[in-house]
């Protein structure tokens, strides 16, 4: 185990692990990166929920095969014990969670945005919907708890339109854990542009006190946090800005990466 304090970006933590041949997994909280020489694949009992005082992001290396590649900093987000119901486009029986992710990554009949995988039955259900493509009302209706044998897998290997986006305000709340903290950001619009240009699907940002010039980004929004208990801090006067809609078509991906993330920690 190696502690790297002062790490302000999840992508930096992932890069440190990727560049280290002995690193298999990471825990990330804003300002702290922990590198591990083993992962939950080898030590499943070591993975425990971690939500207080902040929620911890856990990620480990995976290697997926197929015709399509992914140029994102991580490939899939996994939410254990949850599923996106009634929106599947296709299904198959596979031998592993990784095989289910490969099916989603390589799907050519539609853009696969998410999958449900049942490790007891091997069932893999692919969908062209995910928590952010549905409305908040629809997400609350379709996304919810399932059995512990089911994993919800959400692809980060999508190039959503980014040039013109509308944001909605979430007043009085900021996230406890974010993916990136940028200092010396002089304007709200500059912070917004950072959200639209990072190499992952940024869904929200906050700018805090303008005199502090601190910009924080996250791939999360209200729609993707229903499985986290109390993910926000209540602070009068602050605002979180969430992407409501984006326009300008879609793009294809090129390069493969090796991480999936989960909201637990290795202890």
């Amino acid at each position: 185990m190696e502690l790297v304090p002062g790490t302000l970006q999840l992508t930096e933590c992932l890069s440190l692990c990727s560049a280290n041949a002995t690193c298999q997994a990471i825990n990330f909280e804003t300002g702290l990166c922990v590198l591990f020489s083993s992962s939950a694949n080898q030590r499943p009992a070591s993975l425990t929920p971690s939500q207080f005082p902040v929620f911890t992001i856990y990620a480990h290396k995976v290697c997926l095969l197929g015709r399509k590649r992914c140029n994102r900093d991580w490939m899939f987000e996994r939410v254990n014990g949850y599923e996106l119901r009634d929106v599947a486009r296709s299904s198959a029986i596979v031998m592993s969670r990784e095989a289910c992710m490969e099916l989603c990554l390589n799907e050519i009949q539609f853009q696969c945005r998410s999958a449900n995988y049942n490790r007891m039955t091997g069932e893999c259900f692919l969908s062209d919907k995910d928590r952010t493509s549905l409305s908040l009302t629809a997400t609350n209706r379709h996304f919810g708890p399932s059995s512990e044998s089911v994993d919800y897998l959400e692809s980060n290997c999508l190039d959503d339109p980014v040039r013109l986006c509308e944001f909605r305000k979430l007043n009085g709340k900021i996230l406890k854990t974010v993916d990136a903290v940028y200092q010396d950001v002089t304007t709200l619009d500059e912070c917004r542009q950072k959200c639209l240009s990072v190499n992952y699907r940024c869904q929200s940002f906050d700018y805090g006190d303008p005199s502090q010039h601190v910009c924080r980004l996250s791939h999360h929004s209200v729609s993707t946090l229903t499985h986290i208990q109390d993910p926000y801090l209540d602070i009068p006067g602050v605002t979180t800005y969430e992407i409501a809609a984006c326009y300008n078509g879609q793009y294809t991906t090129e390069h493969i990466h090796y991480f999936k993330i989960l909201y637990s920690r290795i202890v």
Side-chain angles (χ1 to χ4, degrees):
M1 183 174 70
E2 179 183 352
L3 300 178
V4 188
T7 306
L8 298 179
Q9 297 185 34
L10 172 60
T11 54
E12 179 185 356
C13 188
L14 294 175
S15 294
L16 289 171
C17 187
S18 184
N20 186 335
T22 65
C23 178
Q24 295 299 311
I26 62 103
N27 280 345
F28 177 78
E29 297 169 1
T30 307
L32 177 64
C33 174
V34 185
L35 309 182
F36 295 97
S37 59
S38 62
S39 74
N41 282 344
Q42 293 84 41
R43 300 170 53 209
S46 65
L47 196 63
T48 61
S50 176
Q51 299 191 19
F52 299 102
V54 297
F55 58 89
T56 302
I57 296 175
Y58 163 80
H60 68 241
K61 291 179 177 177
V62 295
C63 186
L64 303 183
L65 303 175
R67 66 178 68 88
K68 290 186 179 180
R69 295 182 180 271
C70 177
N71 67 351
R72 298 293 193 174
D73 290 300
W74 64 86
M75 298 185 74
F76 282 87
E77 178 178 342
R78 170 189 166 202
V79 185
N80 178 241
Y82 279 74
E83 64 180 341
L84 194 64
R85 294 181 289 269
D86 304 323
V87 292
R89 287 282 303 272
S90 67
S91 64
I93 302 297
V94 296
M95 298 299 293
S96 67
R97 184 188 304 115
E98 287 73 20
C100 187
M101 289 189 286
E102 288 173 355
L103 280 182
C104 184
L105 184 64
N106 293 301
E107 176 58 53
I108 60 175
Q109 298 300 317
F110 56 90
Q111 185 181 53
C112 180
R113 303 181 73 93
S114 69
N116 296 327
Y117 172 68
N118 188 319
R119 60 181 176 271
M120 298 298 293
T121 65
E123 292 175 302
C124 173
F125 295 92
L126 306 185
S127 176
D128 59 354
K129 303 290 192 299
D130 62 18
R131 295 170 297 178
T132 59
S133 67
L134 295 168
S135 68
L136 181 58
T137 300
T139 298
N140 290 337
R141 183 171 68 251
H142 291 285
F143 183 72
S146 184
S147 71
E148 284 298 310
S149 64
V150 173
D151 288 325
Y152 171 70
L153 307 169
E154 189 165 277
S155 176
N156 190 45
C157 298
L158 303 171
D159 284 314
D160 290 327
V162 296
R163 289 192 179 177
L164 179 61
C165 290
E166 298 175 359
F167 286 79
R168 56 174 169 257
K169 292 182 179 181
L170 185 62
N171 293 319
K173 294 180 180 294
I174 59 172
L175 282 167
K176 293 178 179 178
T177 299
V178 294
D179 299 336
V181 176
Y182 293 94
Q183 299 172 318
D184 300 320
V185 176
T186 57
T187 66
L188 179 68
D189 187 62
E190 184 182 349
C191 187
R192 175 182 175 275
Q193 290 302 318
K194 284 188 177 294
C195 180
L196 296 177
S197 62
V198 291
N199 194 35
Y200 51 88
R201 298 172 64 201
C202 178
Q203 295 296 321
S204 67
F205 71 91
D206 64 72
Y207 191 55
D209 183 350
S211 66
Q212 300 299 315
H213 298 166
V214 174
C215 170
R216 308 190 323 149
L217 312 181
S218 177
H219 69 283
H220 275 307
S221 64
V222 169
S223 296
T224 67
L225 288 164
T226 55
H227 63 293
I228 302 291
Q229 186 176 352
D230 299 327
Y232 291 95
L233 292 172
D234 295 317
I235 302 177
V238 302
T239 301
T240 291
Y241 298 84
E242 295 188 347
I243 288 181
C246 288
Y247 312 94
N248 193 42
Q250 297 177 336
Y251 303 85
T252 56
T253 57
E254 294 295 336
H255 305 290
I256 200 160
H257 269 265
Y258 305 96
F259 289 96
K260 64 180 178 183
I261 65 176
L262 181 65
Y263 297 91
S264 301
R265 69 163 75 209
I266 280 187
V267 294

